[in-house]
Amino acid sequence: MTSTKEVELRRKVSNPLALAVLAHLVMGPQHPYELGKQLKETGKDRNIKFNRGSLYMVVEQLRKAGFVAEQETVKDTQRPERTIYALTDEGRAELYDWMRELVRDPVHEYPQFGVALSLISVLDPAEAVELLRARSAALTKDIENTRAMVGKATGDGVEWIFLVEEEYRISLLETELRLVEKLTGELAKADYQHRWQEIFGR
């Protein structure tokens, strides 16, 4: 299994936002503002963190890499000049190579909660249980909200393929919730709490 760092080193531009930009430019040349609007309208900002500044920066990085090119500059009386960007042949090849790699190859990632779990033994068990119960409530709420959003989108006629990342999110949240509930039960046991006091108690 490769690491996230190894994958990044193979890409001229490795930011996930760059991949989203390339994917949206498949549908035709666009201005970065319109790209950002589409990313938010399609919910991609739930999976890819970005703002206006980072979006323009990524578009410039893609231009320097030869993956996008300026197609034209549009002028009108009501708005400043707008540069329209188009996908190049190199950009199209990069998009599909990158997508194939992401879909095919598992990558070892380092989620923050994984770090916390690897060190959770330093916390007093009673406090850890309280914190995990709060996390459980937050996870449950997130699952409910995401399911409601998917249900509404489906009801509005959105094709399932455009909601698959939310199904993935729900799957991950439900798996984490099961683990959190199991861990909460284990930490609440008297024998663990007694053992913890022997090791960490002061």
Side-chain angles (χ1 to χ4, degrees):
M1 183 178 292
T2 56
S3 69
T4 303
K5 191 65 176 178
E6 289 171 331
V7 172
E8 290 176 352
L9 291 174
R10 290 201 296 270
R11 301 290 170 192
K12 291 182 181 179
V13 187
S14 60
N15 190 323
L17 178 58
L19 182 64
V21 168
L22 294 175
H24 277 258
L25 287 179
V26 166
M27 295 177 281
Q30 294 186 62
H31 180 265
Y33 174 80
E34 294 298 330
L35 283 168
K37 187 177 177 182
Q38 284 187 13
L39 289 170
K40 289 186 177 181
E41 288 176 349
T42 55
K44 297 299 182 290
D45 57 331
R46 283 171 57 82
N47 298 289
I48 303 169
K49 185 177 180 180
F50 74 94
N51 53 39
R52 182 180 178 184
S54 62
L55 177 58
Y56 277 79
M57 181 181 70
V58 161
V59 170
E60 177 60 16
Q61 290 173 341
L62 290 171
R63 186 194 65 78
K64 289 181 178 179
F67 297 147
V68 304
E70 297 179 5
Q71 186 182 62
E72 62 177 319
T73 299
V74 179
K75 298 180 181 179
D76 60 43
T77 57
Q78 297 181 353
R79 289 183 289 186
E81 287 187 353
R82 292 177 298 144
T83 302
I84 308 298
Y85 292 88
L87 195 63
T88 65
D89 290 341
E90 292 82 1
R92 188 178 298 272
E94 175 70 3
L95 166 64
Y96 289 113
D97 181 68
W98 196 351
M99 280 296 301
R100 289 176 184 124
E101 180 180 347
L102 288 178
V103 173
R104 181 188 63 230
D105 302 337
V107 174
H108 185 73
E109 299 175 291
Y110 300 90
Q112 293 186 21
F113 187 49
V115 175
L117 289 178
S118 73
L119 304 170
I120 198 169
S121 60
V122 302
L123 288 176
D124 183 292
E127 182 183 9
V129 165
E130 182 179 345
L131 294 170
L132 287 171
R133 284 175 177 162
R135 187 179 189 93
S136 178
L139 289 169
T140 300
K141 183 176 180 180
D142 199 354
I143 292 169
E144 291 172 351
N145 290 342
T146 305
R147 285 199 177 283
M149 186 195 73
V150 170
K152 182 179 184 307
T154 301
D156 291 340
V158 177
E159 290 287 342
W160 66 269
I161 192 64
F162 299 117
L163 298 168
V164 70
E165 73 271 24
E166 298 302 337
E167 294 291 349
Y168 176 62
R169 179 192 299 276
I170 291 170
S171 177
L172 292 179
L173 290 171
E174 289 179 337
T175 299
E176 182 178 328
L177 179 59
R178 287 194 294 271
L179 174 64
V180 166
E181 290 176 341
K182 178 182 178 182
L183 182 57
T184 301
E186 293 297 322
L187 293 177
K189 291 180 178 178
D191 58 343
Y192 173 76
Q193 296 189 13
H194 177 71
R195 182 63 177 153
W196 186 90
Q197 289 293 339
E198 291 180 343
I199 299 172
F200 293 102
R202 295 290 185 271

